[in-house]
Amino acid sequence: MEFEDWFRQVQESKYDCLLFDLDDTLYPLSSGLSASVLKNIKEYLVKKLGIEENKISDLCNLLYKNYGTTMAGLRAIGYDFDYDEYHAFVHGRLPYDNLKPDPILHSLLLSLPIRKVIFTNADKVHTVKVLDKLGLGDCFEGIICFETLNPIHKNIEFTGSTTGEIFDIIGHFSQPDGESFTLPTTPVLCKPSESAIEMALKIANIDPHRTLFFEDSIRNIQSAKRLGLHTVLIGKSQRVKGADYAIESIHNLREAIPELWEGEKVAEINYPEVGIETYAIA
């Protein structure tokens, strides 16, 4: 019985799912993609939505701070637009060539005897392209992306500005008591919304208490922690509230959390059939 108990302990890992953010988590911030995304978002606001250029920086900061993404914030304050067009504009001109195949990370991920899933706010086209550039497409069971949580734009009930007017969020926060009033809500589901994380877990049949979540955003880490996930903050060496681990680079994973490989010789990954956005890269 003692041997059987030991064998069972080896087989039973603390985690049965590893949930990975994509951008600035699986590749470094220094790649320049995030800076280009912000530049393209600002250009979209001016060229496509007709927002005055001198308001763009303040608007983007407030929308990101209060809604998690600029897109979610834009929808909340009353702007309507085609999601695919937005993503094509914002992600269509990124310096993807800055991303190179990462055989070290590829080997590291494949050596992990645990189910692995991507969870990103980005659209599927961008997600698959990044994974393809990094050579990591075969490392994950599937992806949970923007389309997974926001599948059909025309069927989403708009609960933001319903009067046809644009909510002046800059003016709102310029008032002395601006932060005491409720902001309009967004129809877009995305991190760090706890509702978005809960839906992602449900769609992919993931148990938060047996999941390790890798993410570069402190806000996303803290939301996930409140829902019971174990968390790893990427890109920082110091832990913050909500982070169980903090590592400078995803490449340091084996040194930082060696217990992930415990029992790797006897473990077997059984991918369940779940309603998750899956892909195959030829």
Side-chain angles (χ1 to χ4, degrees), residues 231-249:
T231 55
V232 183
L233 179 62
I234 302 295
K236 300 286 190 297
S237 58
Q238 298 295 319
R239 287 172 53 196
V240 299
K241 182 179 179 182
D244 296 305
Y245 303 91
I247 56 178
E248 287 280 2
S249 167

Side-chain angles (χ1 to χ4, degrees), residues 51-62:
I51 300 173
E52 296 174 36
E53 194 165 354
N54 62 349
K55 294 181 178 179
I56 296 298
S57 290
D58 287 342
L59 181 61
C60 286
N61 289 336
L62 286 171

Side-chain angles (χ1 to χ4, degrees), residues 77-151:
I77 65 174
Y79 288 98
D80 197 6
F81 45 86
D82 183 271
Y83 291 164
D84 290 339
E85 180 190 71
Y86 177 90
H87 284 131
F89 192 100
V90 170
H91 292 148
R93 299 169 296 156
L94 296 182
Y96 287 110
D97 287 343
N98 290 354
L99 301 179
K100 306 300 180 185
D102 192 338
I104 295 175
L105 182 56
H106 182 266
S107 297
L108 188 69
L109 291 172
L110 287 185
S111 73
L112 281 162
I114 307 171
R115 178 188 182 204
K116 294 173 284 291
V117 176
I118 291 288
F119 179 24
T120 175
N121 283 337
D123 61 291
K124 186 177 180 181
V125 170
H126 170 77
T127 303
V128 172
K129 191 163 189 175
V130 168
L131 291 174
D132 187 32
K133 287 289 186 180
L134 295 173
L136 304 178
D138 61 341
C139 294
F140 301 95
E141 173 187 321
I143 58 176
I144 304 166
C145 59
F146 179 84
E147 291 90 343
T148 314
L149 303 184
N150 305 277

Side-chain angles (χ1 to χ4, degrees), residues 124 128 137 278-282:
K124 186 177 180 181
V128 172
T278 57
Y279 58 90
I281 298 176

Side-chain angles (χ1 to χ4, degrees), residues 140-179:
F140 301 95
E141 173 187 321
I143 58 176
I144 304 166
C145 59
F146 179 84
E147 291 90 343
T148 314
L149 303 184
N150 305 277
I152 304 175
H153 171 57
K154 65 181 180 180
N155 286 345
I156 295 176
E157 181 181 354
F158 182 59
T159 56
S161 181
T162 57
T163 63
E165 298 179 359
I166 302 300
F167 178 79
D168 182 8
I169 193 170
I170 297 176
H172 173 82
F173 279 102
S174 68
Q175 301 299 318
D177 55 352
E179 295 194 10

